[in-house]
Amino acid sequence: MKIYLYDTETDCIGSGSLSSAYVKSQLDAAAGADVAVHISSVGGSAFDAIAIYDLLKKYPGNVTTYIDALAASAASVVAMAGSKIVMSKYALLMIHKPMVGSGGNADELLKDVQMLNVVQSRLAQIYMDRSGLDGVTVNSLINSVTWMTADQALNMGFVDSIEDYSETIINSALIKKYTDTAPAVYQRCINKILTNKSNMNMDNRELIERTTTVLDKIMNFFKRVVNKQTITDKGTLHHAGDMTEGTEVYQDEELSEPAVTDTYTTPEGKQLAIKEGKVQTVSPAPDGQDDDEQEEAPASKFKLTKKPGEVQNKLQEIKARLHAQNALLNEAKAALEDAQTRLNKTREEVKNEIKSDFTPEGSKRSSKAKTETQPFFAPQSTLAQNAVKRAVGK
């Protein structure tokens, strides 16, 4: 079902066929079927707009709002109610501070000011919930009376897509394939990059190949951002999210090579049964003594009075602990070697690292300069430097 909220010579948001009462009657008639709400309005009553927003949000069916020409002022609030918001390539979206026409004494006017500030806070919350922007940014846009094109509204998260009437192009289909599964914030970043590149609308094979490579790198970057690691007795497992049943696990950081089918033991003693790159079961560590007591347990505790399976689990746990400790030692050694390299730099090399970042008027070079940021591990005293040298030498 389609509902058209188009201004007339006499009606705008809050009156006639654009009132909350009219919208409610249309939704009742739709009886839960999917609804498309088309908007072309300069605005109207903020309170009626909030009422329409609530009606659309609570409607059991799917609601898609379309900004056909203009969604300004109160109409922009109605547009935010769609589970999906589509904006015409040629449309505009405008948000501003609420207004009221009133008269009276100073006390009555101050009450109006307080009421308008409360109303603005409610409108701002609606924009924040839709766009994901913070309150300071949204209120700044409201106070500035912001007009947005379709591209700008998409980049800031106010709409989900732009309705374009041009023919589908090869590059667009390719881009859609790569970005559809990315989080919304990443899609907006990618869309912002692509809308600034006019040559993306070309049927160019070389360009398509380059686009594929770039998008592959972007998506791999996203994977590395969410990549988590679990150290086991058979090496490090890489995965996104928590390690639970059904989690996909990989051998490499790029999450491209599934982990081999086997049973893995974590340093905590958990048993991970993995088949074809997916976790089948996660068995908790067997009940026993704490970590310190386990590490110092005498050999007599490993007598054949224990079941062979328990002994095997214990050995796997110890191997996992050793693997974890070796990984930490390798990291520490790499840091020490980096520190040793810096200590061996000559005076001239250190001087060459100094870079000026300020040039006053009338001067070819500033006397003010600063060194590069200090590394996270660089001993300063002679005693510390000697300790590092001895450690690296071993």
Side-chain angles (χ1 to χ4, degrees), residues 337-354:
E337 289 174 348
D338 182 63
Q340 179 64 34
T341 302
R342 289 183 172 274
L343 289 173
N344 290 336
K345 285 186 176 180
T346 65
R347 190 182 197 83
E348 191 64 29
E349 288 175 330
V350 174
K351 286 175 65 178
N352 289 337
E353 287 185 354
I354 300 176

Side-chain angles (χ1 to χ4, degrees), residues 45-253:
S45 167
F47 297 116
D48 236 50
I50 294 175
I52 296 173
Y53 175 89
D54 284 336
L55 285 171
L56 296 176
K57 277 293 186 182
K58 295 173 183 176
Y59 183 69
N62 184 57
V63 176
T64 303
T65 53
Y66 292 86
I67 302 175
D68 291 343
L70 174 64
S73 188
S76 69
V77 175
V78 176
M80 298 298 105
S83 55
K84 181 179 181 182
I85 304 175
V86 181
M87 187 170 178
S88 168
K89 177 180 179 180
Y90 311 104
L92 291 173
L93 176 71
M94 187 273 275
I95 62 177
H96 70 149
K97 295 172 74 72
M99 298 183 294
V100 64
S102 64
N105 59 37
D107 292 338
E108 292 170 337
L109 293 175
L110 283 174
K111 289 180 181 179
D112 286 340
V113 171
Q114 294 172 353
M115 180 269 291
L116 288 171
N117 287 335
V118 172
V119 173
Q120 177 168 334
S121 71
R122 297 305 83 211
L123 301 179
Q125 189 62 56
I126 290 174
Y127 297 133
M128 289 160 58
D129 291 343
R130 156 47 63 175
S131 66
L133 298 173
D134 60 85
V136 174
T137 302
V138 168
N139 278 287
S140 176
L141 294 172
I142 292 174
N143 295 336
S144 302
V145 185
T146 302
W147 290 82
M148 287 172 271
T149 64
D151 286 337
Q152 292 169 336
L154 178 65
N155 292 336
M156 286 192 282
F158 288 99
V159 302
D160 297 305
S161 63
I162 298 173
E163 190 171 34
D164 195 348
Y165 308 103
S166 59
E167 295 182 2
T168 304
I169 54 174
I170 294 177
N171 282 6
S172 295
L174 177 65
I175 293 166
K176 191 174 187 303
K177 171 187 173 184
Y178 277 88
T179 60
D180 269 355
T181 56
V185 64
Y186 297 143
Q187 291 190 41
R188 291 201 293 270
C189 291
I190 295 171
N191 286 331
K192 186 173 182 179
I193 295 171
L194 298 181
T195 53
N196 292 331
K197 305 292 185 182
S198 59
N199 61 355
M200 292 306 296
N201 296 328
M202 297 166 56
D203 184 1
N204 185 311
R205 293 294 173 184
E206 182 181 356
L207 180 59
I208 291 174
E209 292 177 1
R210 291 204 306 269
T211 303
T212 304
T213 302
V214 171
L215 291 171
D216 276 335
K217 291 180 179 179
I218 291 174
M219 297 310 295
N220 285 336
F221 168 75
F222 293 154
K223 289 179 180 179
R224 287 196 294 272
V225 169
V226 298
N227 185 1
K228 292 186 178 181
Q229 299 180 352
T230 299
I231 295 177
T232 71
D233 58 320
K234 297 179 177 65
T236 303
L237 297 176
H238 301 269
H239 53 94
D242 297 331
M243 183 70 81
T244 57
E245 292 183 7
T247 300
E248 295 182 352
V249 288
Y250 301 85
Q251 303 180 56
D252 58 328
E253 292 184 355

